[in-house]
Amino acid sequence: MNRPLLLLTAFPLGLVSALAFAPLGWWPLMPLAFAALAFLIGRAGSLPKALLTGWLFGVGQFVLGLNWIATAFTYQAAMPAWLGWVAVVLLSFYLAIYPALATGLAWRFGRRSRTALVLALAAGWTLAEYLRATMFTGFAWNPVGVVLIDTSARGWAQLVGTYGLSALVVLIGGLFLQLFVRPEPRQASPRVIGLVVAVSVGIVWLLPLSLVQNRAFGPRPAIRVVQPNIGQEDKWREGLEEEAFQRLASLSRIPAGSPPTLLLWPEVAVPVAFQLEGPPPQRLTTPLPPARRAGGLLRPGSDLLVTGAFALVVDRNARLVGSTNSVMPISASGQIAGRYDKAHLVPYGEYLPMRPLLSAIGLSQLAPGEGDTLEGPGPRNLSLPGWGSMGVQVCYEIIFSGQVVDPRHRPDFLFNPSNDAWFGRWGPPQHLAQARLRAAEEGLPIIRSTPTGISAVIGADGRLLHSLPWRTAGAIDADLPAPRPPTFFSRHGNAIPLTLALLLLILAVGIDARARYRRHI
């Protein structure tokens, strides 16, 4: 296949595949796109053409799927809005390297057999997504397995994780390819292939239902998730602090006679510091007036507030070192009972790489503030008497499969405060879908609170139990969902999909070698 035809086919095929992601969610397009992609790889004719095919497919998928990134630049006065689309395209050029690696691997070990090609592509895509999530701080947004989140097939996530679920999507595409494309020599008849496809699809969709483990629980603690609907365009304007407090207060009033309630506010719910941290070694912390004011909304001895907030960190000379993006439990007296600091920071969003150089040419980080956000130590739990142990993942930390729970101390639930107001119309539902995958993987309920949506209560099987629409003010009153027993994936992590990828690749190499041997006899 010549290069012009690759340009005319692979790139639009990637665009079509992106329609399978939220908010559209036309998930069958993803396995169909992989069926077509495998067909193109099989006719690439050389390794460079196979690599180009995957790269063009990836560019199309990322440019459309990540269009929300351009919206983030519209909130930064120091940079022109058009630079957002330049950033989307350049980021897509880089991210598409990983699909190119997968298609190159598929061609190298599958060019003699369609079955081997599909198996190698599934293995390659699994490895490529894992690398994309870990290289250069990682960017794990929109793994292809997330398109199955609204199907019963999401149950496989508790066994093989997100990247194993992505391999499943590729394999489903391979079944379509075998069913609808003319059989290869010595291949089974279309009727046999059709039967295999039907049985395979049945297993994929029905078996996960039998993997669900139910547990009996008594009454569950009460929670209230608050969504004040404060847009990013207003977040840092003068006078917003008072308006934000008023909106949050009106949505946080607990009626007399209600059971003890855990209030959950979004990331940086109020754009002022809640805590001051001194220099090492003591690092003494002091609650600031906004924390005491927030605590004043609670009924003494009954309720607890957990909010996204930031702390200011100063040195021995009382000079500002930086700030943290944190989650803080606050009592009615205004005391802060612990703190989680965001660990997986967003480059160019919360800190500026090579700051001296980039600042000199006029670039700045998207999140306003003096200096960079300081990095936290990683997954940690906060103890909330009456509600159990709470794990925390701030904003996009939740998208990293296998990295959201302290492996030594399994929490009872995860809290994911986020500011999705940056993310336009496509970003929030994509973010929610990935949070639901973490719940299914870990067997833990997840609570999300965001300023503009989509706030949600997610069951331990990944089901969406309650949610508030985008761009709507409101609150969710619910019982805290129960956790499930530790899943197979939660015990072994990404060693599972990586092992699966290795086995698929070994199988592909064997089938390809057998096909080569047959051609020489």
Side-chain angles (χ1 to χ4, degrees), residues 397-414:
E397 285 185 311
I398 200 68
I399 72 173
F400 293 93
S401 174
Q403 301 180 40
V404 299
V405 171
D406 181 350
R408 298 164 299 176
H409 305 98
R410 180 175 169 84
D412 297 304
F413 70 100
L414 290 172

Side-chain angles (χ1 to χ4, degrees), residues 191-223:
R191 288 185 179 181
V192 173
I193 294 174
L195 179 61
V196 170
V197 169
V199 171
S200 301
V201 170
I203 291 174
V204 165
W205 257 256
L206 298 179
L207 184 59
L209 299 178
S210 67
L211 299 174
V212 174
Q213 305 174 61
N214 294 313
R215 298 173 68 185
F217 287 89
R220 300 294 302 163
I223 62 173

